Amino acid sequence: MKILNHTLGFPRIGVNRELKKAQEKYWSGNLSKQDLSSVGYELRKKNWQKQKESGIDYIPVGDFAWYDHVLTTSMMLGNIPERHNNIISSVDLDCLFRIARGHAPDIAASEMTKWFNTNYHYIVPEFYKDKVFKFSWKQILDEVDEALSLGYKVKPILLGPITYLWLGKVKGKYFDRLDILKDIIPIYKYVLKELSKRGIDFVQIDEPVLVLELPKKWQDAYYDVYKELFGITKLLLTTYFDSIEHNIEFIRDLPVQGIHIDLVFGKYNLNNFISKIPSEWMLSLGVINGRNIWRADLVKWFKSIKLILKNHRKILIGSSCSLLHTPVDLETEQNLDAEAKKWFSFSVQKCIELKLLSNALNNDDIDLITQWSLPIKDRSFSKRVHKIAVENRLSNIVIDKYQRLNSYNIRTIEQNKKFNLPILPTTTIGSFPQTIDIRKLRRDFKSGIINKEEYSKGIKNHIQKVIRIQEELDIDVLVHGEPERNDMVEYFGENLEGFVFTDNGWVQSYGSRCVKPPIIIGDISRPKPITIEWSKYAQSLTKKPVKGMLTGPVTILFWSFPREDVSLKKMATQIALALHDEVLDLEKEKIEIIQIDEPALREGLPLRKSSWAEYLSWAVNVFRLSASGVKNTTQIHTHMCYCEFNDIMDAIALLDADVITIETARSDMELLESFKNFKYPNEVGPGVYDIHSSNIPSVKSIMMLLNRAIKYIPLKRIWINPDCGLKTRNWNETILALKNMVEATKTLRKEIKNSHLK
């Protein structure tokens, strides 16, 4: 039987971020809906063509999304929160964007959180009792028709119904989410029937929650659901990000025609696994890493798959997960040095890898792939990879390096005396609007159009503006605004040894937000100070404290493309040592409030709880290592956003940051339940407005959130801040929102003072 190949999805943003640019033009009123739709159509066409030309047999359809694929599923099911409906309750593209971004005057967007353990985000489905579901969004059918009309062998993709329910949240009156299945299964059946009419070979139905340790009732729901869906069209039950071997006893009995497993991130005893699945099932093997950019060792995979073929003949090979987590095309990189470029593989190249591997297997000829795999083997001898000085420093870490000199209870007394801040101190998370002028300044310096002196003068002018505006707004603890930083991770990577960078290595984080992760290629160290110049200058402009702003070791690690030849723990510890040096240098320069952001702490958590303890142990330790050795009076902040804290409150407390700032506005302060129930011991800054929405929060809405916050956290331990950094907002929005934030805070202070006087 001939072995065919497929991808589980392709990047939707375009090689030049065409989707992002079109979305933002549409949102600003500078592009029509028809023109936006045309951009989407052209992108889909190009993506299908690129995959076909690269040798992909089954072309995925349904991987394109106007914001994220979970929200697309909500639209398909007609699951529109009432507040986002328009007058006639029509389900259209504007409705989708209202859910994702909120809308005026003060309608909150739906909550956003991380897609499993990735830096991709999705809009959380909201479930209300007695909600009526109906097929409301034809995107999947329309796009299948587009691809079929162009002559492609199409493989539609649907997010599975149980995963969809697992990812959502019950709002209002509580009920069991699984009760919704009876309402949405008819819609899935209708879609599958329509796909069957179009002569589809099989449908990729994504059920990644099967890698989790599911409660028994959720396991039981699978059989009932797939019994209902069975027989309409062939289903490839698709899993990724980890192994499903622990769930195979109930998965093996599901009425489907095939299973996809992730062999990159999942640990399998393949002989045992294959012996337990039906022999007639198609077994799709995810062998090309959909989450990293390293060239695959195709020879290794050739040998593994040849062994599998002895026990199971119906084989399909594919990417481990959707390729949306990797950049589009390595060939667009003109400035990567030749040695490093040979080590990498972006989405287009991963398609080529699948074709090379399937050809080698079908022809039983390893020579076709030996040459491709050579650079990976040669890399182990590169002098850029291993550094003796870094290894020596790692081996000399002592246990005292993982803790502050004294406990928070002692530190907070000394910090209060030093800073003398008012009750409910106000601050921001770090970044201020990244204007066209700022981006041009960085670009001109990088390309040599301006010199170091001109660049430094320009950056200082922007810092002056940010400090002046914050003082005028009467914010208590200031930031320098980060005009020198293109990205919170890329900037640090550029100033550390062990990283390389791309010009076009963009991946989608959410909606129109794209990031360009650095690539860790070798041992990491700090050759010179990184942030000192700008932080020191900002502090010289004001008598108020200015925070030093650092990205934490876990976040730098997980928001980069990591090495695959050493452990995550080892890389994170190397980064922590580099940041430790930076923290001590900031303190020497009288920067005595230092924020070390760790938004990726929860993201890095293994998907199965049985593996959490080991990860959290080293993740906490590397944060503490980066912040260790400072005085009691030096206040350490950290920031986290858009993740579920409930499961890891013990670990968050163990970070021992003096202040943690978090996202709470989009989730309506729900996250503070975690801090109340756990009785978090240190200080908390609950975000009081959603910076990912263009809505300007009113004083009234901020007051409502603050009044909720003081029910959860003691007054003396609350800080007031936005949900996240402000780099994506414009100056008008930023100033108006911060003005309202400060006004609301001062009003609450007066109310508290008056109530005490009474």
Side-chain angles (χ1 to χ4, degrees), residues 279-444:
S279 59
E280 67 272 15
W281 273 12
M282 175 65 73
L283 177 59
S284 173
L285 304 172
V287 295
I288 301 301
N289 193 338
R291 293 181 57 174
N292 212 337
I293 47 69
W294 297 97
R295 183 178 286 217
D297 186 345
L298 297 182
V299 173
K300 181 198 79 170
W301 286 119
F302 176 92
K303 293 175 180 177
S304 298
I305 295 170
K306 292 294 285 184
L307 291 174
I308 294 170
L309 284 168
K310 293 179 180 179
N311 298 310
H312 198 93
R313 298 301 301 174
K314 295 182 71 173
I315 295 291
L316 188 66
I317 62 170
S319 54
S320 62
C321 60
S322 172
L323 298 177
L324 73 86
H325 307 288
T326 57
V328 179
D329 190 354
L330 185 62
E331 291 308 309
T332 64
E333 299 300 329
Q334 303 303 316
N335 295 314
L336 272 175
D337 64 271
E339 181 187 35
K341 193 171 182 178
K342 288 180 182 178
W343 298 339
F344 306 144
S345 176
F346 292 0
S347 293
V348 170
Q349 288 68 43
K350 290 178 186 297
C351 294
I352 294 170
E353 288 179 325
L354 284 167
K355 182 61 176 176
L356 287 171
L357 183 55
S358 58
N359 281 348
L361 290 164
N362 288 323
N363 293 289
D364 198 21
D365 187 354
I366 202 168
D367 292 338
L368 295 171
I369 54 175
T370 301
Q371 194 68 27
W372 180 269
S373 303
L374 283 178
I376 288 295
K377 301 184 186 304
D378 292 342
R379 181 179 168 273
S380 60
F381 302 104
S382 173
K383 295 180 180 179
R384 303 167 69 180
V385 177
H386 304 290
K387 306 288 184 182
I388 294 175
V390 177
E391 289 286 346
N392 289 341
R393 191 175 183 193
L394 281 180
S395 63
N396 290 325
I397 296 174
V398 294
I399 194 66
D400 289 347
K401 285 287 187 182
Y402 293 121
Q403 57 191 20
R404 296 286 296 274
L405 298 175
N406 291 102
S407 69
Y408 165 78
N409 291 334
I410 294 173
R411 300 195 307 262
T412 189
I413 294 170
E414 296 187 35
Q415 290 167 14
N416 287 337
K417 287 180 182 177
K418 181 175 185 61
F419 298 116
N420 193 30
L421 296 170
I423 193 170
L424 303 174
T426 54
T427 189
T428 66
I429 303 305
S431 61
F432 269 75
Q434 291 269 317
T435 63
I436 293 172
D437 289 344
I438 290 174
R439 293 194 293 269
K440 184 178 185 300
L441 182 68
R442 291 197 303 259
R443 190 167 58 246
D444 286 351

Side-chain angles (χ1 to χ4, degrees), residues 582-598:
E582 188 75 11
V583 167
L584 294 183
D585 282 347
L586 282 167
E587 186 182 62
K588 287 176 188 174
E589 297 296 341
K590 307 301 181 186
I591 307 299
E592 293 167 307
I593 299 181
I594 302 170
Q595 182 172 308
I596 307 172
D597 290 344
E598 280 294 23

Side-chain angles (χ1 to χ4, degrees), residues 20 257 292 334 389 410-411 477 559 650 666 729 743:
K20 167 195 173 65
Q257 286 76 28
N292 212 337
Q334 303 303 316
I410 294 173
R411 300 195 307 262
V477 174
W559 290 4
D650 285 327
R666 199 177 256 237
R729 303 270 52 91
E743 183 179 341

